[in-house]
Amino acid sequence: MALTKESVVNRTETIALVTTVSLVSLGIIQIILGETISRSVSLIANGFDCIGDGFVSGIVWGGLRFFKKPADQRFHFGYYKLENLASIAATIVMFLLAGYIIFRSYNQLVNPEDVQLPFIGAVVAFIAGLIAISLGAYKIIKCKTLGMSSVKLDAFNTIKDGTTSFLTVVALLLSSYGYTIADSIIGFIIAGLIVTIGFAAIKEAGYMLIDACDGDCLMYGVLIKTYAERVKGVQSAQVVRLRRTGPVIQGELEIMVPGEMTVSELNQIQLEIIRISTEKISELERLTITVVPFEKEER
């Protein structure tokens, strides 16, 4: 039985919530274990990374559940950009956590301490890695159906968390054989990954807040113009303005039609352009079409 887009959204919303709870819980366990028993910097770093990735999944969950409230008299274009503000806030927190991880990794490098019970920490990190990889793979499969960039970003971020968990396992196993420097090195690597992804996330959120259009947005503009010009009665499509707001795209299109066209004919053309564009571009939520009359004498 084929799933509707609404049911896919509901399932994706559920898996995002499960990811949030799972990663945050595993992160807290690893931090407590690393701070009190294991004394492992890489385990602590991976715990913070798990919590950070859990926050990202929480933002996506909030976007799917709350930020799609319908537009009202105050917010004419809806609440999508709250997702971008929340993403920037979460990224700032992650930068602070990365700074703490770097500080701990440096201390471990210059004043190395033996990691206690490394195999227990390795088992916990391995379980966290398996869970993260499984959840990320599931979300990648679902995001192909849903076509939402925020879900895609969350999926790859979750897989990244699984990768850092396996790196932590390697660090703990090496520490058990006396290579304590591996603990601090993996801590530096995890902090670097957090900062790198943080910069990418804050850059994307900033671009969305100022309505920048690049990458796939530019490609969508060309596609919408092409779709419009293929509709019978449209002489040309002149202007396409697009902006991404959260998981969706909103746009404006200007078309030129014969001046003698009736309102009913024009309405059919507009509906056809919107139908084709939204079918081909699943992220396109709203397309406003303005009309310019085309006079043969002027041509």
Side-chain angles (χ1 to χ4, degrees), residues 137-157:
Y138 180 85
K139 284 187 280 190
I140 285 179
I141 295 173
K142 290 303 176 184
C143 78
K144 291 181 179 179
T145 304
L146 194 56
M148 292 177 62
S149 59
S150 60
V151 177
K152 182 179 179 180
L153 176 63
D154 179 40
F156 284 107
N157 196 51

Side-chain angles (χ1 to χ4, degrees), residues 228 234 236-238 253-257 266 269 273 289-292:
V234 177
S236 63
Q238 301 294 338
L253 172 68
E254 182 180 290
I255 61 174
M256 186 173 288
V257 300
L266 176 60
I269 288 176
I273 294 173
I289 301 176
T290 57
V291 180
V292 175

Side-chain angles (χ1 to χ4, degrees), residues 76-231:
H76 295 182
F77 295 97
Y79 293 79
Y80 295 118
K81 290 192 176 182
L82 288 175
E83 179 183 8
N84 306 129
L85 291 174
S87 179
I88 290 175
T91 302
I92 293 174
V93 173
M94 292 314 300
F95 283 159
L96 296 176
L97 295 178
Y100 176 73
I101 293 171
I102 292 172
F103 172 74
R104 289 295 304 272
S105 299
Y106 175 77
N107 284 340
Q108 175 70 353
L109 183 65
V110 296
N111 297 306
E113 296 181 11
D114 292 335
V115 176
Q116 306 299 318
L117 302 176
F119 290 107
I120 295 178
V123 169
V124 174
F126 184 78
I127 293 173
L130 286 180
I131 293 174
I133 292 291
S134 301
L135 292 172
Y138 180 85
K139 284 187 280 190
I140 285 179
I141 295 173
K142 290 303 176 184
C143 78
K144 291 181 179 179
T145 304
L146 194 56
M148 292 177 62
S149 59
S150 60
V151 177
K152 182 179 179 180
L153 176 63
D154 179 40
F156 284 107
N157 196 51
T158 304
I159 290 178
K160 184 273 301 177
D161 181 76
T163 303
T164 59
S165 294
F166 292 138
L167 286 174
T168 303
V169 173
V170 173
L172 290 170
L173 291 178
L174 289 174
S175 297
S176 67
Y177 289 100
Y179 299 100
T180 56
I181 192 174
D183 192 44
S184 59
I185 291 175
I186 295 298
F188 282 123
I189 293 174
I190 293 175
L193 288 173
I194 293 174
V195 171
T196 301
I197 292 178
F199 273 120
I202 205 168
K203 177 182 176 182
E204 181 178 358
Y207 278 175
M208 288 186 187
L209 287 175
I210 61 176
D211 295 331
C213 181
D214 59 355
D216 58 354
C217 181
L218 293 174
M219 179 188 67
Y220 291 153
V222 175
L223 290 176
I224 291 173
K225 182 178 182 294
T226 303
Y227 299 148
E229 291 178 341
R230 289 177 181 175
V231 175

